[in-house]
Amino acid sequence: MIKTGDQLPDVTLYQYNNDAGACAIGPKAFSIRERCKHKKVLIFALPGAFTPTCSERHVPGYVAAAPALFAAGIDEILCVSVNDAFVMNAWGNSLQVGDAVKMIGDGNGEFSEALGLTQDLSARGLGRRSQRYAMLVDDQVVQYIAVESPGKFEVSDAASLLAVLR
């Protein structure tokens, strides 16, 4: 499992934005390591788009806290899930995340796997998913990471990460 002081793995992730009036062009692929180069990035991950805790508490908490997080020095907030970029975009639109949180698809679970932060939820019909966590990355290096115990939502919320930044 990734830990404080480790460099992010060089994995491709995907983002899709369907701007009003623009033609739909497939998801944009990017290297997570390159995206975090020379920036302070907060990455939080969750088991799945449109799931109860994720939709009702996790993402909305980061949207609400985004101004304070940016004021504390965060350049970008990324929400990652083992869903495709189209689903992540639709979910972000439904939650009205705007520019506060970038909704990122880890459709094949490669990023979650490279971090050592997957969980098998096949018994509940969900397949392999990401564990719930949040991490602070400064210039590609993990400065802080909080991984939730199974079924919990106590340490990866926006308020906890704000407390770490202060």
Side-chain angles (χ1 to χ4, degrees):
M1 180 171 72
I2 197 158
K3 60 188 178 314
T4 300
D6 288 350
Q7 186 173 54
L8 284 179
D10 193 15
V11 176
T12 300
L13 292 173
Y14 299 87
Q15 184 175 5
Y16 176 73
N17 293 316
N18 59 335
D19 298 326
C23 291
I25 298 175
K28 179 183 177 191
F30 65 91
S31 160
I32 187 64
R33 188 181 292 167
E34 283 303 307
R35 186 146 177 179
C36 293
K37 190 174 189 177
H38 306 301
K39 291 198 279 184
K40 286 182 93 171
V41 180
L42 190 156
I43 300 171
F44 71 100
L46 31 79
F50 296 101
T51 56
T53 300
C54 306
S55 295
E56 296 166 11
R57 297 173 59 204
H58 211 170
V59 175
Y62 277 101
V63 172
L69 290 162
F70 295 141
I74 295 297
D75 295 304
E76 192 169 29
I77 303 168
L78 306 179
C79 173
V80 178
S81 185
V82 181
N83 293 106
D84 66 64
F86 296 109
V87 168
M88 292 300 287
N89 178 66
W91 187 37
N93 288 342
S94 77
L95 295 174
Q96 301 177 333
V97 300
D99 291 329
V101 175
K102 306 300 189 247
M103 305 302 280
I104 307 300
D106 181 21
N108 297 323
E110 293 169 354
F111 182 59
S112 301
E113 186 70 37
L115 295 175
L117 290 171
T118 58
Q119 60 180 325
D120 188 352
L121 298 176
S122 297
R124 297 191 340 211
L126 299 171
R128 293 190 58 74
R129 298 292 181 119
S130 174
Q131 291 182 44
R132 187 182 304 278
Y133 67 85
M135 69 174 138
L136 298 171
V137 177
D138 190 354
D139 195 17
Q140 305 173 328
V141 176
V142 176
Q143 299 299 311
Y144 175 83
I145 185 163
V147 181
E148 297 284 359
S149 298
K152 299 292 183 183
F153 180 58
E154 300 169 341
V155 298
S156 66
D157 61 297
S160 294
L161 273 287
L162 262 173
V164 169
L165 286 167
R166 291 185 175 145

